[in-house]
Amino acid sequence: MSTEDFRFAEVFSYESLVHAMAGAVGSVTAMTVFFPLDTARLRLQVDEKRKARSTPAILSEIVKEEGLLAPYRGWLPVICSLCCSNFVYFYCFHSLRASWLWGHKSTPSRDLLMGIAAGVVNVLVTTPLWVVNTRLKLQGAKFRNADIRPTNYSGIMDAFVQIIEDEGVGALWNGTFPSLLLVLNPAVQFMIYEGLKRQLRSLVHRELLSLEIFLIGAIAKAVATTVTYPLQTVQSILRFGQHKQHTDRSPLLNSLRSVMYLLINRVRKYGMLGLFKGLEAKLLQTVLTAALMFLLYEKIASSIFRVMGVKRPVSSH
């Protein structure tokens, strides 16, 4: 088999499918456990009039004003989006890794490049799902900001139809520009995770313990989230669809202009700390979710490979 044939086969390999399924199941389970924390983070990002308080206080307010199940509002569309998104990301990352690294040793810079490539594919494919789930998750919420317009979607498909009819097909890709910039988040996360995993394995010369995987995943996500959080705030605002974007220039220039406007406006109103409003809730949610996700992913992938009698590829380490 030629090198080209081998690399093509690796893109559509059984191993890549196992990694994708394990990543999707792990992320869905982890997000379900910590979903209320994400609800608190999203409210702080899009509702500028809501005071930045501790995560338990925000969740207490939401439950008191909107009911006991309010922290889980929009769970289904988020889980559907997350499942698709992580399946695409893990599949792309590991198939690219298997084909690009054939005969070469993995390095942090290569992990970063493959993470960025996988992230770009993921953003372009799954952004419409994230736009819809952001709208559904915030539907019915009681905002402090009176300028926010209420929405009335009966479900995922109805949200798709209404957005296309009222705002055009392009609205489904609202926030794509900051999302493309934010591919650095999972790319940096995977680079740190894989790097720390390699270093620790070289020191202990054994399979990593569950606690070690959990801590490595938490550290990787904490660094990636803190660095990219201001862009995540802009992304959430644009996906929510309440910010009026200029249409007098090219889509790329309009997106860049919106991102810069929202960042500068946030700093003017609330200072530099305004760019990190909700970071506590985001870190609490995303670090715990990512750590649990990586732990479940590693265990599920290892179990499947073991049950099927397939030796886990070196490239996945």
Side-chain angles (χ1 to χ4, degrees), residues 116-299:
I116 290 172
V120 169
V121 173
N122 180 37
V123 165
L124 296 177
V125 171
T126 64
T127 289
L129 286 171
W130 287 110
V131 168
V132 166
N133 95 57
T134 299
R135 306 279 185 98
L136 288 172
K137 191 170 183 181
L138 292 169
Q139 183 170 270
K142 294 184 179 180
F143 295 106
R144 303 295 189 271
N145 189 348
D147 295 331
I148 293 178
R149 304 183 303 277
T151 57
N152 185 28
Y153 306 126
S154 61
I156 296 175
M157 292 310 298
D158 182 56
F160 271 113
V161 171
Q162 283 198 45
I163 291 171
I164 292 172
E165 288 180 348
D166 298 340
E167 304 171 46
V169 175
L172 291 173
W173 276 269
N174 278 350
T176 297
F177 185 72
S179 295
L180 287 172
L181 296 178
L182 279 169
V183 299
L184 284 172
N185 183 300
V188 169
Q189 173 188 339
F190 266 73
M191 178 186 72
I192 295 173
Y193 176 76
E194 293 291 339
L196 289 176
K197 196 165 67 168
R198 279 193 299 271
Q199 290 295 320
L200 191 54
R201 275 203 175 116
S202 67
L203 291 174
V204 298
H205 303 292
R206 57 168 169 75
E207 286 297 312
L208 299 185
L209 302 175
S210 297
L211 179 60
E212 291 168 338
I213 295 172
F214 188 90
L215 290 175
I216 289 172
I219 292 168
K221 192 61 178 180
V223 174
T225 297
T226 303
V227 170
T228 61
Y229 188 76
L231 281 173
Q232 292 182 51
T233 298
V234 170
Q235 178 193 56
S236 295
I237 293 170
L238 290 174
R239 282 176 174 173
F240 190 32
Q242 301 289 333
H243 171 67
K244 292 183 179 179
Q245 300 189 62
H246 297 278
T247 56
D248 55 338
R249 301 184 183 184
S250 71
L252 180 61
L253 287 175
N254 289 334
S255 296
L256 181 58
R257 191 174 177 182
S258 295
V259 170
M260 293 306 298
Y261 170 80
L262 289 168
L263 288 173
I264 294 170
N265 189 54
R266 198 98 172 174
V267 172
R268 282 176 178 170
K269 281 185 176 180
Y270 310 106
M272 287 300 294
L273 290 179
L275 293 175
F276 294 91
K277 184 183 178 186
L279 178 60
E280 177 213 348
K282 180 64 177 177
L283 277 176
L284 189 59
Q285 175 262 326
T286 199
V287 168
L288 291 175
T289 301
L292 182 57
M293 182 270 290
F294 274 120
L295 173 59
L296 293 172
Y297 153 70
E298 294 285 355
K299 295 301 181 184

